[in-house]
Amino acid sequence: MIIVLKPTDNTTIAELKNHFEGTHDIFVHHNRVAVQGITRDDLNDVELAAADEIIEDVPAAVQGSRQFHPEDTVIRTAHSVIGGDHFTLMAGPCSVESLEHVTKMAAVAKASGATILRGGAFKPRTSPYSFQGLGEDGLKYLRQAADKYGMDVLTEVMDDEHVKMVAKYTDIFQIGARNMQNFSLLKAVGKTNIPVMLKRGMSATIDDVLNATEYIAAGGNHNIMIAERGIRTFDNKYTRNTMDVSIVPVMQKLTHYPVIIDPSHAAGHTEFVTPLALAGTAAGASGLVVEIHDDPKHAFSDGPQALKPNEYADMAEKALAIRELLTGMKTEQAEAGR
Amino acid sequence: MIIVLKPTDNTTIAELKNHFEGTHDIFVHHNRVAVQGITRDDLNDVELAAADEIIEDVPAAVQGSRQFHPEDTVIRTAHSVIGGDHFTLMAGPCSVESLEHVTKMAAVAKASGATILRGGAFKPRTSPYSFQGLGEDGLKYLRQAADKYGMDVLTEVMDDEHVKMVAKYTDIFQIGARNMQNFSLLKAVGKTNIPVMLKRGMSATIDDVLNATEYIAAGGNHNIMIAERGIRTFDNKYTRNTMDVSIVPVMQKLTHYPVIIDPSHAAGHTEFVTPLALAGTAAGASGLVVEIHDDPKHAFSDGPQALKPNEYADMAEKALAIRELLTGMKTEQAEAGR
Amino acid sequence: MIIVLKPTDNTTIAELKNHFEGTHDIFVHHNRVAVQGITRDDLNDVELAAADEIIEDVPAAVQGSRQFHPEDTVIRTAHSVIGGDHFTLMAGPCSVESLEHVTKMAAVAKASGATILRGGAFKPRTSPYSFQGLGEDGLKYLRQAADKYGMDVLTEVMDDEHVKMVAKYTDIFQIGARNMQNFSLLKAVGKTNIPVMLKRGMSATIDDVLNATEYIAAGGNHNIMIAERGIRTFDNKYTRNTMDVSIVPVMQKLTHYPVIIDPSHAAGHTEFVTPLALAGTAAGASGLVVEIHDDPKHAFSDGPQALKPNEYADMAEKALAIRELLTGMKTEQAEAGR
Amino acid sequence: MIIVLKPTDNTTIAELKNHFEGTHDIFVHHNRVAVQGITRDDLNDVELAAADEIIEDVPAAVQGSRQFHPEDTVIRTAHSVIGGDHFTLMAGPCSVESLEHVTKMAAVAKASGATILRGGAFKPRTSPYSFQGLGEDGLKYLRQAADKYGMDVLTEVMDDEHVKMVAKYTDIFQIGARNMQNFSLLKAVGKTNIPVMLKRGMSATIDDVLNATEYIAAGGNHNIMIAERGIRTFDNKYTRNTMDVSIVPVMQKLTHYPVIIDPSHAAGHTEFVTPLALAGTAAGASGLVVEIHDDPKHAFSDGPQALKPNEYADMAEKALAIRELLTGMKTEQAEAGR
């Protein structure tokens, strides 16, 4: 486990470094220290004080923690900036269906402000009898469509074996909800330098999500964003999942990674997507990732939750307006505070 | 159970009325009919057609259904209008603590736009050893404070015996989450003409909530609003409950009753209240009910979730701005559509 | 709140009594003390030690706690003994449908070992359009049927106004799941001396259940049993609720009240009732409460979950055999341990 | 998707085969047909009848379905038989800690009837800072220990890359709860002929579990067993997860695969493990998989839930007695029925 100590002085920090360096990872920020992979007993060996007195917390994450990294993580790709004061729109079809179709959707996405084109080429379908995606061909189409409109690509990688192949085409890896605790996969993307969007698992607690980011960060890749796509609760008659909008302020307190809202999978039905997108925006999310389709009835997957082009345009306009409004109000207050 | 039939013609409607009137309640809206308290077998007796062919739905609610009542319910009290295009702020302390204190809180609430003063005089505490409220004295203080500032009173009624007593002081009954399926209480408030705010139970599905409204409406009281205060899920480490913001668009589709967001009980911690309030507003809620306190550390109950006066003012300003923004945008679109 | 102190000596106990008696309830068991309705600050006033050092726990319940009452609560009614080493069968129809029918069901229940006849006269139905029970007539039929076969009556009381009326007919009050936190009702039955079966609410935590028992016990009625009838989870396609069988050993550790399993409402479908009943028995429950019907298809309520007489007989035989087996094995071990 | 048709005649079956064979998988059992990978529209092309009239179900699984495979799956390994009328004990330490320790635990497991030795060499820990297992060395120790006592090995495989390596040492693959929907991994073990124990995910519905088995079966591996280890609910204060014991009868109805209970991960605390194990046994499970340790306080992982050798012996004795009792009673009834 990882142990965070109470704020201490430089002498103690030096002593701890002396004792643990070489055998354990040590994280220091100002007067705060965390040591990885130790137990309470190990601390007693340092003979500084009773472990109980100097331990502050046994947290889910250290590299992802605001305590050790107070500044927002800001992720920069060729065409986008994610996190900090930025607000980023990502849109595209659930599945890449053809070069022609994904190119059309890229145009729609871009027209209303999206800088990132999403699309699935490998689909983690609940049933093996459902459409499993176009595979590498799908990735090629996605790349071409994004390039045509000067956009970044966001696409799911489903297993560690495919990481290298998908890396050839994408700007951002998506780790799907079902793979949020596929630790082999997390370690594999953690060893690349490609940004990762980690989707919250259906029954993942906030701490589970933070722990999962830590698997990625442990490999050296700190370009992580967290996406909420709804959790499983007792009620799923009218929505596919229950969007936990509180993840936005909670994560902003605990971690420096940007939080993105995926209203499409949360809602499951077109008519509820926009209200959820606006809710996430108003709560302070760093961006939205939305599924769009020009002919939802014939979509290869998840048609019922895809926004049509005009619905998407309406949603984007409102979301950007809310974001601008709240940013403006914050600025005024900050200025008034000077 | 209640059965809604597929759209039909006037002859069939007349036949159904002839057959069931007197023994069952019949609801008609245009070419749509619902009959209460019948079974599939009863329908077969009418010999219109096989029951399976003419049944459209066995819904949770009929009186609360948009199908039979497409227009928004708009509730008018002395100082407030709730529902429709209106947006209503309700604020006050969790518990009424003294005349002086509740009066002070009324001034704070009013100053930032609240027209309804909330406060508890009978507290449904999980433990019998916790503060149970000031009782009727609390109601008197609440009434006085509200009157001083020209506000309405919203307060909880906990059992059917107290309905008459509480009715002397309040403008709106609150039914707490734990009593959402206390059917005796629902029937009791359903027989009054005082508006009711029904709080969603911790594990109540959307249909459960609609069914509960139907118990109130069955008594003749249609001035009902629904409040979301968070549901129970697997994750409650950082928030007290999980706010299900999707209830707003879902209920707006299914029912004509206004939906109010209670971000205080959902968040459980001050720092998350405002983002949740703004999320609910952006999703289209008809209002907010928020707990405020000038000295949260010494509040008689739920101090950790109370907004301080300045925090409340900031939240109210932002919520009203988002509401205005979205209302304005809708208007523009509607006009453009002409 | 209620505070339990760490084990202490007689002098300190005397001091605490001296300080708090008259203004607060004090519970003492050997060297352990609990004081009700105090805060941490109150403790500091006693100037014994820093509150943090002497506080052991802030528990859900004291009167229900094993710490203060290590012996099992054993409830004795005219024909039954519940709790301790006893195993009690309770069976009957969901709703009382007629004198004839409930009498027939009493005969069936008794024949396979039930000593308690259950049946609903006031039904807390989710929808107001569903059958609401026969009312007081139902209670009369239930009483007559039970008397004919020398059985006790178990029936639900839904509101505090009806407590006196229902008390005329029943030997055990049932508090339904939806009313588990109807504190007015809990207080009302707490003032009687009639045993109470408290059903766990659909989303009630273990602590919520204990707190609810405390509302009853606070009135002086300690004849309380707890019934598990399934909780709400994300999966309810094949069963109506999710039976949390772990409540049996957990409650046996925390409290002295007997735990009863209601497999009927947990399962929701006949075919799963017996396995759940046997699971509860093997986990150590003090009894079973089961719905039976000779013609489930035409039952007034909950037909799909009712066991037919022969299914019930099979279930009862197996449950009693498992109970006997486990009791016998425990005895052998205890003897071997001498 | 996969579509199951209503029972039909041989002519229609022939027609369907003629139409779909070569392009789609067809499953036939008596007069029942399922076609994989088709849509409702495809059915209309056959021009047999309107799709709605001939479709019976769109199920989660076909290869795992009782409809198409009514007989129990019985899995035979070198030293064990799992499923059907058999009852199988599996026990061992959470993590393989050393050759000496796992050998000692194998002796304990075997002495009370276990024929399968469980142990983890690759540990899917929530945090990257927790012990991750001994790796291939652990597998070697486990194999040696099992061989010494004539037992089979059950161990977790965490990613598709490791399938071949783990296959060298194990008799049964375990797929952990977090990987239940790691479809790449499911496909990989589906291509082997080594039996698979699939653990239910923390928020996996019954249908999700069946769909996951279908990914394995689709590769040709039908030696599948399903393990319940508790699901995530709103209450986890006293138990680590909520054991859903109803999965036993529900799965026995829907599928022919054996269901195993893992009471250790469900309980999370030693004192609740035995009651849950007995509950699962009484509900009809085909076996138990239990964590044991001679010195739980110093276990490398999950010490709090490990049974000590004597506790395990007591549990095993009781579970076997219950199983024998219920098997005996079933036999008597079956004989009486002749």
Side-chain angles (χ1 to χ4, degrees):
Chain A
M1 67 195 184
I2 189 151
I3 289 179
V4 174
L5 304 183
K6 290 180 184 161
T8 183
D9 54 36
N10 285 338
T11 317
T12 309
I13 293 179
E15 210 166 328
L16 285 162
K17 279 190 169 177
N18 187 42
H19 191 89
F20 289 115
E21 223 157 39
T23 54
H24 297 81
D25 283 344
I26 301 188
F27 303 85
V28 179
H29 183 77
H30 294 317
N31 59 349
R32 202 175 288 277
V33 184
V35 190
Q36 177 232 310
I38 60 168
T39 63
R40 285 164 188 271
D41 290 350
D42 292 332
L43 268 185
N44 288 332
D45 294 347
V46 197
E47 283 177 31
L48 292 166
D52 283 347
E53 284 178 33
I54 60 171
I55 291 180
E56 182 174 272
D57 198 10
V58 181
V62 171
Q63 304 204 44
S65 166
R66 280 254 184 231
Q67 274 194 323
F68 289 88
H69 187 300
E71 311 77 27
D72 287 344
T73 282
V74 177
I75 301 171
R76 291 168 197 281
T77 54
H79 307 284
S80 313
V81 189
I82 306 150
D85 293 335
H86 305 272
F87 186 74
T88 312
L89 282 180
M90 320 179 188
C94 180
S95 293
V96 178
E97 302 184 0
S98 69
L99 175 58
E100 190 194 357
H101 184 260
V102 72
T103 305
K104 201 171 162 187
M105 290 303 98
V108 168
K110 185 68 182 287
S112 293
T115 56
I116 296 174
L117 178 66
R118 63 140 291 149
F122 295 92
K123 303 297 303 172
R125 307 302 297 278
T126 306
S127 164
Y129 308 125
S130 299
F131 173 63
Q132 307 272 317
L134 294 184
E136 191 164 0
D137 281 347
L139 295 177
K140 287 176 185 166
Y141 304 156
L142 191 62
R143 183 72 266 168
Q144 273 187 259
D147 286 346
K148 180 166 180 186
Y149 293 98
M151 302 176 79
D152 297 309
V153 162
L154 163 67
T155 198
E156 177 157 356
V157 58
M158 279 181 60
D159 53 64
D160 41 339
E161 282 187 19
H162 279 120
V163 167
K164 273 186 196 162
M165 192 261 278
V166 177
K168 289 193 289 178
Y169 304 98
T170 201
D171 300 293
I172 306 171
F173 285 127
Q174 177 180 301
I175 303 291
R178 291 172 185 78
N179 274 322
M180 197 202 82
Q181 292 189 314
N182 177 342
F183 300 123
S184 301
L185 178 57
L186 298 180
K187 286 177 184 172
V189 298
K191 285 176 201 145
T192 74
N193 60 0
I194 296 175
V196 179
M197 172 186 278
L198 179 72
K199 288 206 161 183
R200 181 184 188 178
M202 290 184 197
S203 63
T205 63
I206 294 290
D207 282 352
D208 287 342
V209 178
L210 289 177
N211 271 308
T213 64
E214 209 76 356
Y215 267 96
I216 301 169
N221 187 348
H222 298 277
N223 286 318
I224 300 168
M225 60 195 107
I226 295 163
E228 165 73 23
R229 40 79 74 206
I231 56 172
R232 276 224 165 128
T233 67
F234 56 84
D235 200 2
N236 55 6
K237 181 168 172 187
Y238 299 104
T239 55
R240 188 171 173 185
N241 296 286
T242 300
M243 189 174 95
D244 177 12
V245 71
S246 67
I247 193 177
V248 178
V250 170
M251 282 292 183
Q252 282 172 349
K253 182 187 178 190
L254 299 175
T255 184
H256 44 84
Y257 298 132
V259 181
I260 307 297
I261 290 289
D262 168 358
S264 308
H265 286 86
H269 302 282
T270 310
E271 56 200 328
F272 306 137
V273 171
T274 296
L276 293 190
L278 302 186
T281 305
S286 292
L288 300 171
V289 54
V290 182
E291 292 187 357
I292 58 176
H293 203 284
D294 53 336
D295 184 11
K297 278 201 183 160
H298 297 96
F300 286 18
S301 58
D302 282 350
Q305 72 196 30
L307 290 181
K308 287 186 193 168
N310 65 323
E311 295 165 336
Y312 162 65
D314 175 63
M315 182 223 77
E317 189 193 351
K318 287 178 176 157
L320 291 168
I322 289 177
R323 175 73 181 193
E324 196 180 350
L325 173 78
L326 291 176
T327 307
M329 293 180 79
K330 198 157 62 181
T331 309
E332 281 166 33
Q333 287 195 340
E335 282 171 1
R338 279 179 209 166
Chain B
M1 67 194 183
I2 189 150
I3 290 179
V4 174
L5 305 183
K6 288 178 184 163
T8 184
D9 54 38
N10 286 338
T11 317
T12 309
I13 293 178
E15 210 167 327
L16 285 162
K17 279 190 168 177
N18 186 42
H19 191 90
F20 289 115
E21 224 156 41
T23 54
H24 298 81
D25 283 344
I26 301 188
F27 303 86
V28 180
H29 182 77
H30 296 313
N31 60 348
R32 203 175 288 277
V33 184
V35 191
Q36 175 232 311
I38 60 169
T39 64
R40 285 164 187 272
D41 291 350
D42 292 330
L43 268 186
N44 288 333
D45 294 346
V46 197
E47 285 177 27
L48 290 167
D52 283 347
E53 284 177 33
I54 62 171
I55 291 180
E56 183 175 271
D57 197 10
V58 181
V62 170
Q63 305 203 46
S65 167
R66 280 256 183 228
Q67 275 193 321
F68 288 88
H69 188 301
E71 311 76 28
D72 286 344
T73 282
V74 177
I75 301 170
R76 291 169 198 282
T77 53
H79 307 284
S80 313
V81 190
I82 305 150
D85 293 335
H86 305 272
F87 186 74
T88 313
L89 283 181
M90 320 178 187
C94 179
S95 293
V96 178
E97 302 185 359
S98 68
L99 175 57
E100 188 194 358
H101 184 260
V102 73
T103 306
K104 200 170 163 188
M105 290 302 98
V108 168
K110 186 69 181 289
S112 293
T115 57
I116 297 174
L117 179 65
R118 62 141 292 148
F122 296 92
K123 303 297 303 173
R125 306 303 297 277
T126 305
S127 164
Y129 307 124
S130 299
F131 174 62
Q132 308 271 316
L134 294 183
E136 191 163 359
D137 281 348
L139 295 177
K140 288 176 186 165
Y141 303 156
L142 191 61
R143 182 73 266 166
Q144 273 188 259
D147 287 346
K148 179 165 182 185
Y149 293 99
M151 302 176 80
D152 297 309
V153 161
L154 163 68
T155 197
E156 177 157 357
V157 58
M158 277 181 61
D159 55 64
D160 42 339
E161 281 186 19
H162 279 120
V163 167
K164 274 187 196 159
M165 192 262 277
V166 177
K168 289 193 288 179
Y169 304 98
T170 201
D171 300 291
I172 306 171
F173 284 128
Q174 177 179 303
I175 304 290
R178 291 173 185 77
N179 273 324
M180 196 203 82
Q181 292 190 314
N182 177 343
F183 300 123
S184 302
L185 178 58
L186 298 179
K187 287 175 182 172
V189 298
K191 285 176 200 143
T192 74
N193 59 0
I194 295 176
V196 179
M197 172 186 280
L198 178 72
K199 289 207 163 181
R200 181 183 189 177
M202 288 184 198
S203 63
T205 62
I206 294 290
D207 281 353
D208 287 341
V209 178
L210 290 177
N211 271 308
T213 65
E214 209 74 358
Y215 267 95
I216 302 170
N221 187 350
H222 298 278
N223 286 319
I224 300 168
M225 60 194 106
I226 295 163
E228 165 74 21
R229 39 79 76 210
I231 56 173
R232 276 225 165 128
T233 67
F234 56 84
D235 201 3
N236 56 6
K237 181 168 172 186
Y238 299 104
T239 55
R240 189 172 173 185
N241 296 287
T242 300
M243 188 173 96
D244 177 12
V245 70
S246 67
I247 194 176
V248 179
V250 169
M251 281 293 182
Q252 282 173 349
K253 182 187 178 191
L254 300 175
T255 185
H256 44 83
Y257 299 132
V259 181
I260 307 297
I261 291 289
D262 168 358
S264 308
H265 286 85
H269 302 281
T270 311
E271 57 199 329
F272 305 137
V273 171
T274 296
L276 294 189
L278 303 185
T281 305
S286 291
L288 299 171
V289 55
V290 182
E291 292 188 356
I292 59 177
H293 204 283
D294 53 336
D295 184 11
K297 280 201 181 161
H298 297 96
F300 284 19
S301 57
D302 284 349
Q305 73 195 30
L307 290 182
K308 288 187 192 166
N310 65 324
E311 295 165 335
Y312 162 66
D314 174 63
M315 181 222 76
E317 188 193 353
K318 287 177 176 160
L320 292 168
I322 289 176
R323 176 71 181 194
E324 195 179 350
L325 174 78
L326 292 175
T327 308
M329 294 179 79
K330 199 156 64 183
T331 310
E332 281 166 32
Q333 286 194 340
E335 283 172 359
R338 280 178 208 164
Chain C
M1 67 196 186
I2 190 151
I3 289 180
V4 175
L5 304 184
K6 289 180 184 162
T8 184
D9 54 35
N10 285 340
T11 317
T12 309
I13 294 178
E15 210 167 328
L16 286 161
K17 278 190 167 175
N18 187 43
H19 190 90
F20 290 114
E21 222 156 41
T23 54
H24 297 81
D25 283 345
I26 300 187
F27 304 86
V28 180
H29 183 77
H30 295 313
N31 60 348
R32 203 176 288 276
V33 184
V35 190
Q36 177 232 310
I38 59 167
T39 63
R40 285 166 187 270
D41 290 350
D42 292 331
L43 268 185
N44 288 331
D45 294 347
V46 198
E47 284 177 30
L48 291 166
D52 283 346
E53 284 177 33
I54 61 172
I55 291 180
E56 181 174 271
D57 198 11
V58 181
V62 170
Q63 305 204 45
S65 166
R66 279 256 183 230
Q67 275 193 323
F68 289 87
H69 188 300
E71 311 76 28
D72 286 344
T73 282
V74 178
I75 301 170
R76 292 168 196 283
T77 54
H79 307 284
S80 314
V81 189
I82 305 150
D85 292 335
H86 305 272
F87 186 75
T88 312
L89 281 180
M90 321 180 187
C94 179
S95 293
V96 178
E97 302 184 359
S98 69
L99 175 58
E100 189 193 357
H101 185 260
V102 72
T103 306
K104 200 170 162 188
M105 291 303 97
V108 168
K110 185 68 181 287
S112 293
T115 57
I116 297 174
L117 179 65
R118 63 141 291 147
F122 295 92
K123 303 297 303 172
R125 307 303 297 277
T126 305
S127 165
Y129 307 125
S130 299
F131 175 63
Q132 308 272 317
L134 293 184
E136 190 164 358
D137 280 348
L139 294 177
K140 288 177 185 165
Y141 303 157
L142 191 62
R143 181 74 266 165
Q144 273 188 259
D147 286 346
K148 180 165 181 185
Y149 293 100
M151 301 175 81
D152 297 309
V153 162
L154 163 67
T155 198
E156 177 157 356
V157 59
M158 277 181 61
D159 53 65
D160 42 338
E161 282 187 20
H162 279 122
V163 168
K164 274 187 195 161
M165 193 262 277
V166 177
K168 288 193 289 179
Y169 303 98
T170 200
D171 301 291
I172 306 172
F173 285 127
Q174 178 180 301
I175 304 290
R178 290 172 187 77
N179 274 323
M180 197 202 82
Q181 293 190 313
N182 178 342
F183 300 123
S184 302
L185 178 58
L186 298 180
K187 286 176 183 172
V189 299
K191 286 175 200 145
T192 74
N193 59 0
I194 295 176
V196 179
M197 172 186 280
L198 179 72
K199 288 206 162 184
R200 181 184 188 177
M202 289 184 197
S203 62
T205 62
I206 294 290
D207 282 352
D208 287 341
V209 177
L210 290 177
N211 271 309
T213 65
E214 208 76 357
Y215 267 96
I216 302 169
N221 186 349
H222 299 278
N223 286 319
I224 300 168
M225 60 195 106
I226 295 163
E228 165 73 23
R229 40 79 76 208
I231 56 172
R232 276 224 165 128
T233 66
F234 56 84
D235 201 2
N236 55 6
K237 180 168 173 186
Y238 299 104
T239 55
R240 189 171 172 185
N241 295 287
T242 300
M243 189 174 96
D244 177 13
V245 71
S246 67
I247 194 177
V248 178
V250 170
M251 281 292 184
Q252 282 172 349
K253 181 187 178 191
L254 299 175
T255 185
H256 45 84
Y257 299 131
V259 180
I260 307 297
I261 290 289
D262 168 358
S264 307
H265 286 86
H269 303 282
T270 312
E271 56 199 329
F272 306 137
V273 171
T274 296
L276 294 189
L278 302 185
T281 306
S286 291
L288 299 171
V289 55
V290 182
E291 291 188 357
I292 58 176
H293 204 285
D294 53 335
D295 184 11
K297 279 200 183 163
H298 296 96
F300 285 17
S301 57
D302 284 350
Q305 72 196 31
L307 290 181
K308 288 186 192 167
N310 65 324
E311 295 165 336
Y312 162 66
D314 175 63
M315 181 222 75
E317 188 193 352
K318 287 177 176 159
L320 292 168
I322 288 176
R323 176 72 182 194
E324 196 179 350
L325 174 78
L326 291 175
T327 309
M329 293 179 79
K330 201 156 61 181
T331 310
E332 281 166 32
Q333 286 194 340
E335 281 171 1
R338 278 177 210 165
Chain D
M1 69 193 183
I2 190 151
I3 289 180
V4 175
L5 305 183
K6 289 180 185 162
T8 184
D9 53 37
N10 285 337
T11 318
T12 310
I13 293 179
E15 212 167 324
L16 284 162
K17 279 190 167 175
N18 187 42
H19 190 90
F20 289 114
E21 224 155 40
T23 55
H24 297 81
D25 284 344
I26 301 188
F27 303 86
V28 180
H29 182 78
H30 295 314
N31 60 350
R32 203 176 287 276
V33 183
V35 190
Q36 176 234 310
I38 60 169
T39 63
R40 285 163 188 271
D41 290 350
D42 293 330
L43 268 184
N44 288 333
D45 295 346
V46 197
E47 285 177 30
L48 292 167
D52 283 348
E53 284 178 35
I54 61 170
I55 291 180
E56 183 174 270
D57 197 10
V58 181
V62 171
Q63 304 203 48
S65 166
R66 280 255 183 229
Q67 274 193 322
F68 289 87
H69 188 300
E71 310 77 26
D72 286 344
T73 282
V74 178
I75 300 170
R76 290 168 199 283
T77 53
H79 307 284
S80 313
V81 190
I82 305 150
D85 292 336
H86 305 273
F87 186 74
T88 312
L89 282 180
M90 321 178 188
C94 179
S95 294
V96 178
E97 301 184 359
S98 68
L99 174 59
E100 189 193 357
H101 184 260
V102 72
T103 306
K104 200 170 163 189
M105 290 304 98
V108 168
K110 185 69 181 287
S112 293
T115 57
I116 296 174
L117 179 65
R118 63 140 292 149
F122 295 92
K123 304 296 304 172
R125 307 302 297 277
T126 305
S127 165
Y129 307 124
S130 299
F131 174 62
Q132 307 272 317
L134 293 184
E136 191 163 359
D137 281 348
L139 294 177
K140 287 177 186 165
Y141 304 156
L142 191 62
R143 183 71 267 168
Q144 272 187 261
D147 286 347
K148 180 166 182 186
Y149 292 98
M151 302 176 81
D152 297 308
V153 162
L154 163 66
T155 198
E156 177 157 357
V157 58
M158 278 181 60
D159 54 65
D160 41 339
E161 281 187 20
H162 279 120
V163 167
K164 275 188 194 158
M165 192 262 277
V166 177
K168 288 193 289 179
Y169 303 98
T170 200
D171 299 291
I172 306 172
F173 284 127
Q174 177 180 303
I175 304 290
R178 290 173 186 78
N179 274 323
M180 197 202 82
Q181 292 190 313
N182 177 342
F183 300 123
S184 301
L185 178 58
L186 298 179
K187 286 176 183 171
V189 298
K191 286 176 201 145
T192 74
N193 59 1
I194 294 175
V196 179
M197 171 184 280
L198 180 71
K199 289 206 162 183
R200 182 184 190 178
M202 289 183 197
S203 64
T205 63
I206 294 290
D207 283 353
D208 287 341
V209 178
L210 290 176
N211 270 308
T213 64
E214 209 75 357
Y215 267 96
I216 302 170
N221 187 348
H222 299 277
N223 285 319
I224 300 168
M225 60 194 105
I226 295 164
E228 166 74 21
R229 39 80 75 209
I231 55 173
R232 276 226 165 127
T233 67
F234 57 83
D235 201 2
N236 55 7
K237 180 168 171 185
Y238 299 104
T239 55
R240 187 171 173 185
N241 295 286
T242 300
M243 189 173 96
D244 177 12
V245 71
S246 69
I247 194 176
V248 178
V250 169
M251 282 291 182
Q252 282 172 348
K253 182 187 177 191
L254 299 175
T255 185
H256 44 84
Y257 299 131
V259 181
I260 308 297
I261 291 288
D262 167 358
S264 308
H265 286 84
H269 303 281
T270 311
E271 57 200 328
F272 306 137
V273 171
T274 295
L276 293 189
L278 302 185
T281 305
S286 291
L288 300 171
V289 54
V290 182
E291 291 186 357
I292 58 177
H293 204 285
D294 52 336
D295 184 11
K297 279 201 183 162
H298 296 96
F300 285 18
S301 58
D302 283 351
Q305 72 196 31
L307 290 181
K308 287 187 193 166
N310 65 324
E311 294 165 335
Y312 162 66
D314 174 63
M315 183 222 76
E317 188 192 352
K318 287 177 176 160
L320 291 168
I322 289 176
R323 176 72 182 194
E324 196 180 350
L325 174 78
L326 292 175
T327 308
M329 294 179 80
K330 199 156 62 182
T331 311
E332 280 166 34
Q333 287 194 340
E335 281 172 0
R338 281 178 208 165

